[in-house]
Amino acid sequence: MTEPLRNVELDLPLVKEGKVREVYALGGDLLLVATDRLSAFDVVLDEPIPHKGRVLTQLSLWWFARTSDIVANHLVTANADEIIERHPPLAGSRDRWEGRSMLCRETEPFPIECVVRGYITGSAWKEYRESGTLAGEPLPAGLVEAQRLDPPIFSPATKASEGHDENITFERACVTVGMAVANTLREMSLNLYRRAHDIAAEGGVILADTKFEFGVGKEGEILLIDEILTPDSSRFWLVDQYEPGHSQQSFDKQPVRDYLDLLVAKGEWNRMPPPPTLPPEVVENTSKRYLRAYELITGEAPLE
Ligand SMILES: Nc1ncnc2c1ncn2[C@@H]1O[C@H](COP(=O)(O)OP(=O)(O)OP(=O)(O)O)[C@@H](O)[C@H]1O
Ligand SMILES: [Mg+2]
C-alpha cells in the first residue's frame, strides 16, 4: 500500500491537472491518475484522503465493465504491467500510480456535463423551489426535497473552468453540441443511469443523480470518458436511511462537510481558499467512508 498522495507527479507530459486528477500523455493515449485530493464546496483541501484515488479508479473500472455493452467507453487498460509495457520507465514509480490510474483513449470532450437526476436534490431542488422547473422544464407541483423523479430527467450543465457548473436547458445543449448529438448524449446518459440505478439498488444503495462526460474519439465515435458513477460524480444514498422531505446525508464527504459547516457557523472560515486544516479523525472517517462506498456499491472485498 502506498502512502496517501496529494500529488502523484509522474515523469510524463502533463496534459491537464484537475481538482482531483492528473492527466498525462502516454503514446497517443491518456493516463488518468486519480490523486487522493478531496474538494468540498469547490475548495480543494490540503490533506489527502487515504485510499480515495484508488476507490475512484476501481469504482469507475467496475462500472465500465457493467456498462460497456450499452455505451462504448474510453478505457484501454488499468493493468499496471500493460501500462508499463507501453512506457517502461513507469516501472520505477509503480507504487505511486498503480491502482489509481487508467490508460484511456484521448477524445475531444463535448463541452457539456451530462447530468441525470432520478431524485430531486442539490441545485435541481433549488431551481424547482424557485421556479417549479428542472432544466427549464416544468415539473409537477408539490414535490418534496429528495423525492424520486420517475422517469429520471436529463439535466445538462455547462463545464465551468472555475467555480460552479451552470445548469442549462436541453435546448441550450442542442445549440452547444447540435441537436443530433444532444439527443444521442441524452439517450446514452439515461440508459447508463437506469442500468446503474438498478445495479446499485441490489446493494441497498440509491443512485440519486450522476454526471457523465462524453468525447469524440479519433474515428469520430462517441465515447463515455472520465470517471463514472463514483462518489465524486454522483450522489449515493443508503436505502435504509432514505427519507424524502429534507436533504440526505452524502455517505462519503459528510464528515468533511459537517466539519466545514461547523467552522463556518463559528465564523472561523468563509468558504474561500485557503481551506482550513482537517483534523486527523475527519480525514480518517472520510477515508473509511470512501472504502465503505466501494464495498457497498460493488459488493466486493474491501480495497484496503
Ligand atoms: N478520454 C478523455 N479524453 C479527453 N479528456 C478526458 C478524457 N477523460 C477525462 N478527460 C478530462 O480529464 C479531466 C479529469 O480531471 P479532473 O476530473 O480532476 O478535472 P476537472 O473535471 O477539471 O475538475 P473537477 O472534476 O474537479 O471539477 C477532465 O477535464 C475530463 O474532462
Ligand atoms: Mg472531473
Side-chain angles (χ1 to χ4, degrees), residues 16 18-21 23 30 32 74 104-107 109 159 213 225-226:
K16 161 155 195 182
K19 275 182 279 199
V20 173
R21 259 94 41 84
V23 182
L30 294 178
L32 260 67
H74 66 167
C104 299
R105 286 157 69 187
E106 181 165 23
T107 68
K159 277 188 200 176
E213 292 185 38
I225 65 168
D226 210 53

Side-chain angles (χ1 to χ4, degrees), residues 65-246:
R66 281 155 186 81
T67 54
S68 60
D69 60 318
I70 49 174
V71 178
N73 63 63
H74 66 167
L75 179 67
V76 176
T77 182
N79 180 288
D81 294 326
E82 288 174 28
I83 293 173
I84 290 169
E85 228 168 82
R86 293 286 203 95
H87 190 72
L90 280 174
S93 54
R94 182 172 180 148
D95 276 4
R96 294 178 70 77
W97 56 265
E98 183 173 13
R100 62 168 84 242
S101 305
M102 9 185 225
L103 190 66
C104 299
R105 286 157 69 187
E106 181 165 23
T107 68
E108 187 63 53
F110 291 109
I112 58 170
E113 313 240 306
C114 294
V115 180
V116 182
R117 302 174 183 278
Y119 293 76
I120 187 155
T121 187
S123 62
W125 172 245
K126 191 162 171 274
E127 179 185 329
Y128 176 74
R129 230 181 21 198
E130 284 164 8
S131 56
T133 58
L134 171 51
E137 303 288 335
L139 284 183
L143 295 181
V144 299
E145 185 168 11
Q147 186 163 336
R148 184 163 186 186
L149 298 167
D150 200 11
I153 295 175
F154 180 68
S155 84
T158 57
K159 277 188 200 176
S161 43
E162 300 256 312
H164 284 296
D165 298 328
E166 186 200 339
N167 293 337
I168 56 173
T169 60
F170 184 66
E171 283 66 36
R172 217 173 117 207
C174 289
V175 172
T176 308
V177 298
M179 181 132 68
V181 169
N183 275 315
T184 303
L185 299 185
R186 175 167 67 178
E187 222 32 61
M188 286 177 163
S189 302
L190 288 169
N191 288 340
L192 288 165
Y193 176 87
R194 283 190 208 102
R195 166 72 61 90
H197 177 271
D198 293 350
I199 292 176
E202 290 168 21
V205 174
I206 295 173
L207 173 62
D209 56 27
T210 193
K211 179 230 35 172
F212 299 109
E213 292 185 38
F214 296 89
V216 183
K218 297 205 167 85
E219 268 83 58
E221 74 285 27
I222 294 182
L223 293 173
L224 175 61
I225 65 168
D226 210 53
E227 64 177 352
I228 61 162
L229 299 158
T230 67
D232 281 12
S233 66
S234 319
R235 286 191 177 89
F236 292 108
W237 299 334
L238 297 175
V239 172
D240 287 352
Q241 290 171 13
Y242 172 61
E243 201 183 68
H246 56 84

